[in-house]
Each structure stands twice: as structure tokens, then as C-alpha cells.
Amino acid sequence: QNKFKMLLSLSGTRFTCAFCLLLAICFSCNKKEHTTENSLVENRVEIPLSFAHGFSLYSIPSGYLLEIRTENGNKELFLVHHPEKVPAVDIPGITAAIPMGSKNIVLTATTQIPHLTYLNAAERLIAFPNLDLISSPTIRKRIANDELIELGRNPMPDMEKIIAAEPDWVMVSGFGEVLQLADRLKAAKIPVLVNGEFLETHPLGKAEWIKATGALLGKLDEADSIFSHIEDNYLSAAKNTASLPKEKRPTVLSGTL
């Protein structure tokens, strides 16, 4: 009988130890997730922007945080991480995690195409709606070689073709019917970034969006250099025309139709 009691006591002790170990593991996992979330906020360093107001960039140990502000006032935060530093858990507050240097991307507006040509990344575009609208010689050559997927000629790109292409991310404009794609593509676990450059009030603010694309493609340094060149040219032209009387200045109409 004493031997039986000893066995019961030993079994109870083992069960208690196992239970405590399980609690410790669960606590450790929760703590790790909390630490991961906090580290993104505490260790981020803002990368200054000169003119753009529709997005913000932050440097973090694992890559970048890209915050995009949409027309309706919402904010979306993307974790652009080094490919070898994939987050182990879903991080609260992060809209989507995107591998830096993505190789397969989908764009939906011709104004986004120059980002790729400037950054020597035209080969990363895999699909686009209304291919006839693209004028870039580099990408026109790829179209001629049937290297791009046509997403349709309607205002709304073909969502099934986008999903079948399995892009790393899709960039849509912040207006028109194409914006309706966002929610449906998110449901398919495809990151969607809303490009709001058209909302920028300064021409250089629109141009500075190349830095957002540069961060996504792992080419932020190149994007920064390209923007600096565009900025210098713009400011030089503005200085040369600053002395022109108002009546001699051309009238320009810009906007979206």
C-alpha cells in the first residue's frame, strides 16, 4: 500500500511538473509575440521624407515599416522584411508582411510603371490591365515576348487572373473601380498597397512615392538617389522661371477625369 501511495505521489509530481512546463512554454510564446510587436515600435527609426505626405517609412532591424495613409483617413502598416527574416507569428497592427525584393508584382496604373523602369526592375512586373496603355520601351519588349499577363481591358482588372498569378503584392490606385479589388484580394491573402500619389499637393510629393516602391523592391538607396536627381531638376527649373511675370506663365490643367 505504501508503495502504491508512493507511485501515486510520483505520478502527481510528474503531472504537476509537466503542467508547469506547459504553462511556461505558453507564457514564453505569448511573451515572444508581445516582444516582437513592441520591438517594431520601439526600434523603428523614421526615414525623413521631403514632400510626400501620403506615406511614411521606418527602418527596423528586419527591414522597413511602410505606413500608407488612404483617402478616407485610414492607415495601413506593412512589414517589409528581409527574405530570411520571416516573422514567426502574425503581428497585431500589421496589415501584411511582404518579403523585401519581391520578384513577382502586379501594378494597375501606368503612373506606377516609371518606378520600375527607373529602378531597373521592369522584369518583376508579371501582370497589368490594358497592356496597350504601357509606353515604356523596356516593358513593351516584354509584352511583345508574351512575358506579361493581360488583366483585361475593362476598368476592373480580372481578379481571378491576379490570384492565379500568385503575386507577392499588388499596387492599386486610390481611386476608381480598381480600389474595390483591395478587399477581395486581401481575402485571398494577397497584400494590396493603395498608391495615393495622386493626392499629393506638390509635384515632388508625387515623385517621392518612388521611395515606397524602392523599399518594397529592396532598392531604397537607388530610389533615394533617383528622387534627389528629380528634385534638383525640378527646383532648378522652378528657379529659372521664378522671374517670369504672371501673364507670361502658361496655364496648366491637371487632375483626374
Side-chain angles (χ1 to χ4, degrees):
Q1 187 174 2
N2 289 337
K3 192 173 182 180
F4 179 70
K5 288 182 179 180
M6 186 181 298
L7 287 173
L8 284 178
S9 176
L10 184 59
S11 298
T13 301
R14 288 176 177 174
F15 175 79
T16 302
C17 291
F19 182 72
C20 290
L21 180 60
L22 181 61
L23 284 179
I25 292 173
C26 291
F27 178 77
S28 175
C29 290
N30 290 335
K31 184 176 181 181
K32 181 179 180 181
E33 182 174 342
H34 183 69
T35 302
T36 302
E37 179 186 359
N38 281 346
S39 65
L40 290 178
V41 177
E42 295 172 356
N43 297 329
R44 69 181 185 178
V45 177
E46 185 168 7
I47 299 172
L49 300 176
S50 302
F51 296 90
H53 298 287
F55 74 97
S56 297
L57 266 177
Y58 302 89
S59 176
I60 57 174
S62 60
Y64 302 106
L65 286 178
L66 172 61
E67 181 181 79
I68 294 180
R69 292 176 280 282
T70 58
E71 189 176 9
N72 58 13
N74 293 333
K75 294 181 180 180
E76 294 190 324
L77 191 62
F78 296 89
L79 170 60
V80 185
H81 59 86
H82 293 290
E84 67 276 8
K85 295 183 179 179
V86 181
V89 293
D90 290 334
I91 304 171
I94 297 296
T95 304
I98 298 174
M100 189 189 304
S102 303
K103 302 297 184 184
N104 300 307
I105 64 175
V106 171
L107 304 180
T108 59
T110 53
T111 54
Q112 299 158 8
I113 295 293
H115 291 187
L116 299 187
T117 53
Y118 272 125
L119 294 168
N120 294 316
E123 76 285 352
R124 304 192 191 189
L125 181 66
I126 60 171
F128 190 87
N130 297 296
L131 291 176
D132 290 343
L133 299 179
I134 297 177
S135 60
S136 163
T138 303
I139 297 182
R140 289 242 53 96
K141 184 177 180 181
R142 295 192 62 217
I143 294 172
N145 293 333
D146 293 325
E147 296 176 9
L148 289 183
I149 299 170
E150 169 66 77
L151 296 178
R153 300 174 183 274
N154 299 317
M156 179 74 74
D158 190 318
M159 188 180 68
E160 291 184 2
K161 285 186 177 181
I162 294 177
I163 295 174
E166 299 182 339
D168 294 318
W169 49 267
V170 176
M171 182 174 284
V172 302
S173 298
F175 63 92
E177 294 183 29
V178 71
L179 188 57
Q180 299 173 20
L181 279 175
D183 290 337
R184 285 185 277 177
L185 289 176
K186 288 176 183 176
K189 305 299 183 183
I190 297 176
V192 179
L193 300 103
V194 178
N195 185 315
E197 63 185 8
F198 74 101
L199 294 172
E200 299 291 347
T201 57
H202 195 288
L204 289 177
K206 301 177 191 295
E208 199 163 20
W209 274 78
I210 194 173
K211 294 182 182 180
T213 306
L216 290 163
L217 298 179
K219 290 175 170 280
L220 183 56
D221 289 341
E222 293 96 316
D224 190 63
S225 177
I226 291 166
F227 174 74
S228 294
H229 181 67
I230 294 172
E231 181 183 14
D232 289 344
N233 287 343
Y234 177 92
L235 295 178
S236 177
K239 183 178 179 180
N240 290 337
T241 58
S243 59
L244 282 176
K246 185 176 180 180
E247 60 273 13
K248 290 187 177 182
R249 293 174 180 266
T251 300
V252 180
L253 175 65
S254 67
T256 303
L257 298 178

